[in-house]
Amino acid sequence: VQLQASGGGLVQAGDSLTLSCAASGPSFTGYAVGWFRQAPGKEREFVSTISWSGGSTHYADSVKGRFTASRDNDKNTVYLQMNSLKPEDTAVYYCAAGLLVRQISGYKYWGQGTQVTVSS
């Protein structure tokens, strides 16, 4: 499974962005897809995860109520809708396919990351 994250950019606080994670090669079949982020000088952290069916989602407390994960398995694509963005959301965002867990170790396949920068 190869993953390609896209949709990042430079926005102002309060704006919205939607990230996409597209799979190529073997599909996402059966995999949960997680989103993680890494800010400069910080460790990579969990943001959200969504089950294969899309029926189960989990979010970090820091983004709950602002971010929404969804997926279109026909298009082999997972989305992360990010609303009410804050400067502290600035990071490189990565998508990954694996288990429906919050731990980085639970994910087998990783995309290359997309930069999100939120100005105040």
Side-chain angles (χ1 to χ4, degrees):
V1 177
Q2 296 176 332
L3 305 177
Q4 178 83 27
S6 62
L10 172 62
V11 297
Q12 293 186 334
D15 285 351
S16 298
L17 270 179
T18 300
L19 304 184
S20 299
C21 177
S24 59
S27 71
F28 282 137
T29 303
Y31 288 114
V33 174
W35 288 96
F36 294 80
R37 66 188 182 186
Q38 188 165 18
K42 295 188 177 181
E43 294 185 350
R44 192 170 299 188
E45 65 175 5
F46 168 78
V47 175
S48 74
T49 188
I50 183 168
S51 62
W52 158 247
S53 69
S56 182
T57 54
H58 302 283
Y59 300 94
D61 288 343
S62 59
V63 307
K64 197 174 295 183
R66 300 188 297 122
F67 290 12
T68 303
S70 62
R71 66 191 299 165
D72 184 342
N73 290 334
D74 289 337
K75 295 182 179 179
N76 280 349
T77 303
V78 172
Y79 306 96
L80 184 67
Q81 173 69 42
M82 306 187 296
N83 297 328
S84 302
L85 283 162
K86 303 175 181 180
E88 50 263 45
D89 294 319
T90 295
V92 177
Y93 283 71
Y94 299 88
C95 61
L99 303 175
L100 187 68
V101 296
R102 296 172 182 254
Q103 294 78 18
I104 290 173
S105 60
Y107 293 83
K108 185 176 182 180
Y109 303 103
W110 288 82
Q112 85 294 355
T114 185
Q115 176 71 46
V116 172
T117 303
V118 184
S119 64
S120 57

